[in-house]
Amino acid sequence: MNKDEVSTGAGLSVSLGLWQDRPAAEALATARLADELGYDELWLGEMATYDVFALATAVAGVTERIPLTVGPLAVTVRDPATIAMGVASVRALTGRRVTVALGTSSTVVVEEWHGRSRARAGVALAESARQTRELLDGARSDGRGSVLRSRGYRLRLPAPGGSGLTVAAFGPAAIRTAARYADRLVLNLVSVETAGELIGSLERAAEGAGRPRPRVAAWVCAAVEAKPGAAVAEGTEQLRRGLVGYLAAPGYAEMFARAGFAELVAYARTRPRPRELWAAIPPSAVSAVGVVGSVAHARERIAAYRGVGVDEVVLVPAATAGDPAGAATLSALSGG
């Protein structure tokens, strides 16, 4: 795929896991693998290590052609002007196609880490989506907005434009924002069944907004056997730890309960210590929202997501001592 084209087929992409129990620089190794193995796109989030725009610039320096999506970025942490400036900067400095994803993030990230208010996060997401899209298209900011507003700013660098805005959504308000403003919706940590339901909601919201349904990407955590008999227990352990923050969260809790983990959700809602909740999570909970096990099973799961309308499956590979940078998982699933 040319770096300035937007994939319209059934994509298979990679997101950097940014695992907190692994060296931060391992993200660059995962990026190189995704590029070399021919994956369609690389997603770069932002957690506790690298600034995402700095990381995207570094990734472009160690890869050859893979398009980049930065985010989802927390809209109550980064304002539309800084988001648009960051995207335009990476594109101008690297020559790579760069798009952006927006989301509301968590209370821990927004209020505790950054000391910002997460009040009216749904309104902030809608206002950021509108304003960021206009700035990326080269317009001057108009000052409208009740939570977020920018007045009089216009990109001095070339405006990226194009089909470049993704919205992360799970609840109804975010779905409506994606339907109205986004080129793509991204779902994170979602079962096949719930993905299908959310896509149905998106279709109805897009019809109401008088727009075509945005494309849909789903981040799917992955740890697969590179060859028959290879262990994936270490990767599964890492993925289990990643579920801790979601089991009691609105929407996610109901999804896991429906998938057969109602007792686990009830326990999570008592707010146990994270280590205690992690110990209670069975490996089967990872399987409900991920791609774990044999290559054949993984391909079946990817096909299942596509079968309910997911246009782009985004693998979030476990990275462990036994599978540094997720190399085995990415190699096993490339081309699928």
Side-chain angles (χ1 to χ4, degrees), residues 43-319:
W43 295 62
L44 305 90
E46 187 171 66
M47 284 293 293
T49 53
Y50 299 116
D51 170 272
V52 71
F53 295 115
L55 178 59
T57 304
V59 163
V62 299
T63 58
E64 295 293 330
R65 54 90 208 163
I66 195 165
L68 309 175
T69 290
V70 295
L73 301 178
V75 296
T76 48
V77 173
R78 289 184 183 268
D79 61 78
T82 59
I83 292 170
M85 189 186 302
V87 173
S89 297
V90 176
R91 176 151 184 159
L93 291 169
T94 67
R96 194 68 57 89
R97 177 178 175 264
V98 185
T99 61
V100 67
L102 307 177
T104 56
S105 193
S106 67
T107 300
V108 169
V109 171
V110 174
E111 297 189 351
E112 297 183 22
W113 290 9
H114 292 281
R116 307 289 182 85
S117 172
R118 199 172 174 273
R120 304 180 69 196
V123 174
L125 180 63
E127 292 180 350
S128 182
R130 178 187 68 81
Q131 294 175 46
T132 300
R133 184 178 190 104
E134 291 171 354
L135 289 170
L136 291 174
D137 286 341
R140 187 184 301 276
S141 56
D142 56 22
R144 292 189 292 120
S146 61
V147 178
L148 299 174
R149 66 178 63 87
S150 168
R151 183 187 301 277
Y153 177 70
R154 176 181 288 162
L155 287 172
R156 271 55 171 180
L157 295 169
S163 300
L165 183 69
T166 299
V167 167
F170 201 100
I175 291 285
R176 290 193 295 271
T177 292
R180 186 173 182 183
Y181 298 112
D183 304 294
R184 182 172 53 180
L185 166 76
V186 62
L187 304 169
N188 176 38
L189 209 67
V190 65
S191 67
V192 171
E193 178 185 11
T194 298
E197 292 173 353
L198 292 173
I199 290 169
S201 297
L202 179 66
E203 289 174 344
R204 292 187 291 273
E207 183 178 358
R211 297 183 70 224
R213 171 177 77 74
R215 297 181 69 247
V216 176
W219 283 16
V220 181
C221 55
V224 305
E225 300 171 344
K227 56 185 177 181
V232 295
E234 195 178 12
T236 303
E237 282 298 291
Q238 188 180 65
L239 300 179
R240 274 200 319 120
R241 189 184 304 117
L243 300 186
V244 168
Y246 290 89
L247 288 168
Y252 292 97
E254 290 76 12
M255 177 187 70
F256 279 106
R258 241 185 346 175
F261 303 98
E263 290 185 8
L264 178 64
V265 168
Y267 177 56
R269 284 173 166 164
T270 69
R271 302 297 178 184
R273 293 179 178 178
R275 183 171 294 276
E276 294 170 346
L277 180 55
W278 175 27
I281 299 172
S284 55
V286 175
S287 299
V289 293
V291 171
V292 179
S294 70
V295 173
H297 176 69
R299 293 196 186 282
E300 289 176 3
R301 291 282 293 169
I302 291 170
Y305 281 101
R306 289 172 173 163
V308 297
V310 172
D311 303 291
E312 179 184 357
V313 175
V314 185
L315 302 176
V316 187

